[in-house]
């Protein structure tokens, strides 16, 4: 046998033959996918072959053996309140009154109130923060005789990993450019710690600041003139009885 005849005898298949073989392989794979893989793995049986061959039973068995996702360890062990209010409407099974869950955060102690008036000299800054548990609510209003720069922030008792021993805090709201002369709102503590404001007077004159709050806090932290103090709060039960005011129809 000559070398040319030998090379011709071992020459591979033509491109057309390869294409036909590939097409047949794809067709076989598609048939196996529809008739066997989908019914056995996912319970999808468009042709009914999975039921006839009992392949769909395999998919049902896998679902039955799948373990339930365990609850987050923090959620099951922690005794702290949730940090947010997320109302969820649950219809009654008997068609009666629906239930709304997550509409409030229960607290273990009564709320406190506080009212104070401060005068900030030109260029002076001061800080007032409330010691609150996670999920504690704070209703506040502060009004100033002129615009003050401010930052509303918090210092969690448990700092993130790597931040231990540092002056770590988290900002909730800030205006250190123009400033405001008042702010009102409701705040829910995202963590246990101290939460509140730092004000700074850049007006060049004395500014009077009035702060009124009510909420679930234990004590108030004050930092002024490089002096840090913890002051008591007011207990609503210690106030005088409600004055008798005649009812007045508004409409």
């Amino acid at each position: 046998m000559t070398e040319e005849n030998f090379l011709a005898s071992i020459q591979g298949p033509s491109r057309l033959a390869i294409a036909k073989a590939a097409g047949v392989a794809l067709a076989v794979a598609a048939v196996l996918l529809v008739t066997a893989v989908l019914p056995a793995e996912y319970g999808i049986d468009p042709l009914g072959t999975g039921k006839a061959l009992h392949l769909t039973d395999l998919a049902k068995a896998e679902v039955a053996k799948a373990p339930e996702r365990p609850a987050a360890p923090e959620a099951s062990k922690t005794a702290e309140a949730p940090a947010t209010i997320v109302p969820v409407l649950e219809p009654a099974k008997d068609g009666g009154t629906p239930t709304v869950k997550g509409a409030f955060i229960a607290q273990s102690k009564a709320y406190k109130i506080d009212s104070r008036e401060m005068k900030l000299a030109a260029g002076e800054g001061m800080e007032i923060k409330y010691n609150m548990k996670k999920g504690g609510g704070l209703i506040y209003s502060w009004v100033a005789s002129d615009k003050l720069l401010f930052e509303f922030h918090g210092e969690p008792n448990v700092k993130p990993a790597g931040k231990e021993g540092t002056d770590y805090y988290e900002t909730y709201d800030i205006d250190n450019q123009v400033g405001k002369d008042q702010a009102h709102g409701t705040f829910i503590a995202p963590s246990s710690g101290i939460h509140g404001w730092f004000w700074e007077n850049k007006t060049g004159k004395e500014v009077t600041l009035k702060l009124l709050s009510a909420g679930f806090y234990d004590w108030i932290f004050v930092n002024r003139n490089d002096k840090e103090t913890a002051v008591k709060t007011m207990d609503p039960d210690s106030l005088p009885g409600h004055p008798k005011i005649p009812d007045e129809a508004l409409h």
Side-chain angles (χ1 to χ4, degrees):
M1 179 183 292
T2 63
E3 181 178 357
E4 289 80 2
N5 292 335
F6 175 75
L7 293 176
S9 65
I10 63 173
Q11 185 176 3
S14 65
R15 293 183 178 179
L16 179 60
I18 294 175
K20 289 181 178 180
V24 172
L26 289 175
V28 172
V31 171
L32 290 175
L33 176 67
V34 175
T35 60
V37 177
L38 291 179
E41 293 291 334
Y42 305 101
I44 301 175
D45 191 16
L47 301 179
T49 55
K51 182 178 181 180
L53 299 175
H54 301 287
L55 296 176
T56 52
D57 295 338
L58 296 176
K60 295 178 181 178
E62 290 298 325
V63 172
K65 289 189 286 186
E68 295 184 2
R69 181 176 297 179
E74 292 299 325
S76 60
K77 294 181 180 180
T78 180
E80 287 190 313
T84 57
I85 291 179
V86 184
V88 177
L89 181 65
E90 295 186 356
K93 294 181 179 180
D94 59 359
T97 304
T99 301
V100 180
K101 293 186 177 180
F104 69 95
I105 300 176
Q107 303 294 330
S108 59
K109 296 181 180 180
Y111 71 92
K112 302 295 180 66
I113 61 176
D114 185 70
S115 179
R116 57 190 64 242
E117 179 177 317
M118 303 145 288
K119 295 185 182 297
L120 276 68
E124 182 183 4
M126 70 169 297
E127 191 174 31
I128 288 184
K129 293 203 285 276
Y130 302 87
N131 183 61
M132 305 174 66
K133 301 292 185 182
K134 178 182 177 181
L138 174 71
I139 299 175
Y140 65 86
S141 286
W142 62 262
V143 179
S145 59
D146 208 331
K147 290 184 177 180
L148 297 173
L149 305 183
F150 73 92
E151 181 180 27
F152 186 29
H153 61 280
E155 299 179 34
N157 292 338
V158 180
K159 299 179 181 180
K163 298 296 183 179
E164 300 88 350
T166 65
D167 186 21
Y168 174 85
Y169 63 91
E170 299 167 343
T171 298
Y172 309 132
D173 190 18
I174 185 171
D175 188 340
N176 56 9
Q177 299 296 324
V178 179
K180 292 183 179 180
D181 60 2
Q182 60 180 291
H184 320 276
T186 301
F187 168 75
I188 298 178
S191 61
S192 296
I194 53 176
H195 312 269
W197 295 269
F198 170 77
W199 295 278
E200 188 173 12
N201 179 12
K202 291 290 189 179
T203 65
K205 60 182 179 180
E206 183 180 81
V207 173
T208 300
L209 172 64
K210 298 180 180 180
L211 173 63
L212 177 64
S213 67
F216 297 95
Y217 47 79
D218 300 320
W219 46 269
I220 301 174
F221 168 84
V222 179
N223 184 3
R224 188 172 190 181
N225 298 324
D226 296 326
K227 181 180 179 180
E228 298 181 354
T229 56
V231 299
K232 292 182 178 181
T233 63
M234 298 172 60
D235 188 336
D237 291 338
S238 66
L239 299 178
H242 294 287
K244 294 182 178 180
I245 302 176
D247 293 335
E248 180 180 353
L250 298 178
H251 297 287

